[in-house]
Amino acid sequence: MIKRFNSIRVLIQSYFQGNSRTNLLVKNVFSSLILRGLGTAINFLFVPLVINFVNAERYGIWLTLSSVLTWFTLLDIGFGNGLRNKFSEAVALDDIKEQRKLIHTTAAVLICISAVIFILNVVFTDQLKWDEFLGVDASYRTELQQLVFLLISFFSLQFIFQIYNPIQYALQKPAMIARTILVGNALGLIGILYLREFSEPSLFNLGFVVMGSNVLSIFLFTAYFFIVQRRDLIQKIERPTLETLRGIFSLGIKFFFLNIAYMVQFQTSNFLISKYFTPEKVAEFNIAFKLFSVAALIFGIILSPVWSSVTNAQVNNDYRWIRKLINKLLLIWAVIAVGSIIVLLIAPTIYNLWIGDIITIPFITSLGVLLIVLSNCFSEIFISVLNGMGKVNLQFYMSILVIIFFVPIAYFLSVTLEYGIFGICMAIVITNVNGLIVAPYQVYVEMRKNRKLPA
């Protein structure tokens, strides 16, 4: 088995043959493929176990609430992504003092925001009628209030430890993030198996196990990184400065709006489906998405080091390397697209083996989700390159259009024209005009500007 993995690694490395930057990229892609592959296997086991534990309706409510709470990740106001770019530059220049200053400034901001989140959670969570907000039966009100309080409390802790992720991305080591996710998923799976045997169906218990496992995992790896691996980053405390804060924030705020646009497209979908259809339809959409997102997961693993690698290449004025990388990524996307179409054709068999007859997934839902995944994978090639270059101004303006127009377009296609889930899928694809058209053209212009593409 080890020899087989080594053969695959050599094959990948030969395709991305190049300098030390390329070798680091390949090493992390290969490690991430293994770790994320195991994590995906756990997620596939997780779905039928959870549905059987809490039933399809509660599972749909869980997915909807999880999507709503995902919006809380935006509360870092883009500081995570701003740190990622600035820290990548400091690493490329081998400036340890600047690295410490960036980390300590960002940590101070995240701790303050986390404290505010927790205080607001204590004051307001019990005052909100979450059953009405999510469009579910009033009998769930007490259970939802308890669950929301628990999830936000856990999130306020995780919010601080999330600083680990942009640092690992900046160090071009996304495999470390994949390791954290895998351990969290594994702990969650063990917890669900325990609940199935010793607990009554409960959204609160489900939330405690799933969110608690993720928080515990990232806490342990964050502590290990700063105390054991990179103690130099915390040995001397660099006082946060307004100059460093402005440097991170000026770039981070643009990523903040890009993230809002992404969340509007992908995270409001569950809410819209639950609001205008049923929680069971949320489960239908998400099960199809889990199947086809395997392709997005694989491609995302390949792309994960690209952002920071491009930053490193730009600092070193190596635009030729960026151009070659884009061409190879486009070829990989084409291969993944063909594989995904094959999966679409055999999807009914896969669903039957996976979840049985608990939920029926129509072909039109699978097709819509496939179009989302392929369009998103294609666009991420160019968006990752532009993010690495820090060229986000045009993306920022395009994100405003997405924020304004996505919900009306989704409502018109899904409710007014009665296309249902497929209409929401098409709204996501249509509003991805930045990734499908604008970003590829902007990358082409950037390459030409640096005289690395033929006229």
Side-chain angles (χ1 to χ4, degrees):
M1 183 65 72
I2 294 175
K3 288 183 177 179
R4 185 176 300 175
F5 282 143
N6 284 334
S7 298
I8 296 172
R9 180 180 59 80
V10 171
L11 178 64
I12 296 173
Q13 196 153 10
S14 64
Y15 183 67
F16 285 102
Q17 207 167 24
N19 56 24
S20 58
R21 185 190 308 115
T22 304
N23 293 334
L24 180 60
L25 183 149
V26 170
K27 178 182 178 181
N28 275 273
V29 166
F30 180 72
S31 299
S32 296
L33 281 170
I34 298 173
L35 294 170
R36 288 292 180 92
L38 293 172
T40 301
I42 291 175
N43 278 332
F44 270 77
L45 291 172
F46 193 81
V47 173
L49 288 174
V50 172
I51 293 175
N52 286 322
F53 172 58
V54 296
N55 73 37
E57 183 179 23
R58 274 193 171 94
Y59 181 60
I61 294 172
W62 165 258
L63 291 172
T64 304
L65 184 59
S66 299
S67 296
V68 171
L69 293 180
T70 302
W71 281 84
F72 281 66
T73 59
L74 294 174
L75 293 176
D76 77 340
I77 326 174
F79 270 87
N81 286 326
L83 172 64
R84 177 175 177 174
N85 272 51
K86 293 296 183 180
F87 195 79
S88 295
E89 294 172 4
V91 170
L93 298 172
D94 198 25
D95 188 343
I96 186 65
K97 182 177 180 180
E98 182 65 15
Q99 292 173 36
R100 282 198 296 261
K101 190 180 296 184
L102 290 166
I103 290 173
H104 300 162
T105 300
T106 303
V109 171
L110 295 183
I111 290 172
C112 290
I113 296 175
S114 177
V116 172
I117 293 172
F118 184 75
I119 292 171
L120 293 176
N121 182 34
V122 172
V123 174
F124 292 110
T125 295
D126 285 344
Q127 310 303 317
L128 299 176
K129 297 179 180 179
W130 286 95
D131 55 304
E132 294 181 4
F133 180 71
L134 298 176
V136 301
D137 192 88
S139 61
Y140 288 108
R141 179 172 298 174
T142 301
E143 188 175 12
L144 284 174
Q145 286 177 328
Q146 294 173 346
L147 176 63
V148 171
F149 180 82
L150 173 74
L151 293 181
I152 297 178
S153 298
F154 271 136
F155 176 81
S156 62
L157 288 175
Q158 186 177 5
F159 193 80
I160 300 171
F161 305 137
Q162 285 292 126
I163 195 173
Y164 176 83
N165 291 345
I167 293 172
Q168 295 302 323
Y169 278 126
L171 294 172
Q172 301 176 53
K173 294 181 178 180
M176 299 300 98
I177 300 171
R179 180 184 62 180
T180 304
I181 295 172
L182 173 61
V183 171
N185 288 347
L187 291 174
L189 179 63
I190 294 170
I192 290 299
L193 291 172
Y194 176 85
L195 290 178
R196 277 169 52 87
E197 294 296 324
F198 302 103
S199 172
E200 294 295 320
S202 166
L203 284 172
F204 181 87
N205 290 344
L206 175 64
F208 183 85
V209 164
V210 174
M211 192 68 173
S213 297
N214 291 330
V215 172
L216 177 61
S217 178
I218 195 168
F219 166 73
L220 292 175
F221 283 110
T222 301
Y224 179 77
F225 175 76
F226 283 112
I227 296 174
V228 178
Q229 293 182 314
R230 291 299 305 272
R231 195 172 180 83
D232 59 315
L233 293 175
I234 60 172
Q235 277 180 332
K236 181 180 179 182
I237 302 299
E238 298 290 345
R239 182 179 299 177
T241 64
L242 287 177
E243 181 182 358
T244 304
L245 186 66
R246 279 195 296 267
I248 300 173
F249 183 74
S250 61
L251 183 59
I253 191 64
K254 296 171 185 175
F255 286 119
F256 170 68
F257 279 95
L258 294 178
N259 285 337
I260 289 180
Y262 176 85
M263 300 285 274
V264 166
Q265 285 180 302
F266 290 94
Q267 298 304 328
T268 59
S269 298
N270 286 334
F271 174 75
L272 292 172
I273 294 170
S274 178
K275 188 75 174 177
Y276 297 109
F277 303 103
T278 64
E280 288 85 353
K281 287 292 184 180
V282 178
E284 173 189 315
F285 173 74
N286 277 269
I287 288 171
F289 207 92
K290 280 186 180 294
L291 175 61
F292 289 98
S293 64
V294 171
L297 174 67
I298 294 172
F299 199 63
I301 291 169
I302 295 171
L303 282 175
S304 57
V306 168
W307 178 335
S308 298
S309 297
V310 168
T311 302
N312 183 283
Q314 185 186 40
V315 170
N316 291 282
N317 202 33
D318 193 356
Y319 288 92
R320 184 180 297 276
W321 183 87
I322 298 174
R323 177 188 175 185
K324 289 181 179 179
L325 178 65
I326 293 171
N327 291 336
K328 290 175 180 178
L329 290 173
L330 286 171
L331 182 57
I332 293 173
W333 175 85
V335 172
I336 288 178
V338 172
S340 298
I341 292 172
I342 294 173
V343 171
L344 175 66
L345 298 177
I346 62 174
T349 302
I350 298 175
Y351 291 135
N352 186 55
L353 293 172
W354 179 21
I355 59 173
D357 58 358
I358 300 174
I359 297 175
T360 301
I361 314 295
F363 174 82
I364 195 68
T365 298
S366 296
L367 176 61
V369 169
L370 173 65
L371 293 175
I372 291 174
V373 169
L374 292 184
S375 64
N376 193 48
C377 286
F378 178 83
S379 65
E380 281 300 316
I381 296 174
F382 303 96
I383 289 174
S384 295
V385 171
L386 290 174
N387 288 349
M389 292 180 174
K391 305 292 183 180
V392 294
N393 285 339
L394 186 54
Q395 291 188 72
F396 166 74
Y397 294 120
M398 293 300 298
S399 70
I400 302 299
L401 296 179
V402 172
I403 294 169
I404 294 172
F405 289 109
F406 172 73
V407 172
I409 292 174
Y411 182 85
F412 176 74
L413 293 176
S414 63
V415 179
T416 305
L417 296 185
E418 299 182 349
Y419 288 144
I421 293 177
F422 184 75
I424 290 178
C425 294
M426 288 302 92
I428 294 174
V429 175
I430 290 169
T431 53
N432 193 22
V433 63
N434 173 60
L436 295 175
I437 300 174
V438 177
Y441 179 73
Q442 189 179 0
V443 168
Y444 175 74
V445 169
E446 288 295 327
M447 294 296 101
R448 282 179 60 93
K449 186 171 67 175
N450 289 278
R451 299 180 181 179
K452 297 303 176 182
L453 285 179

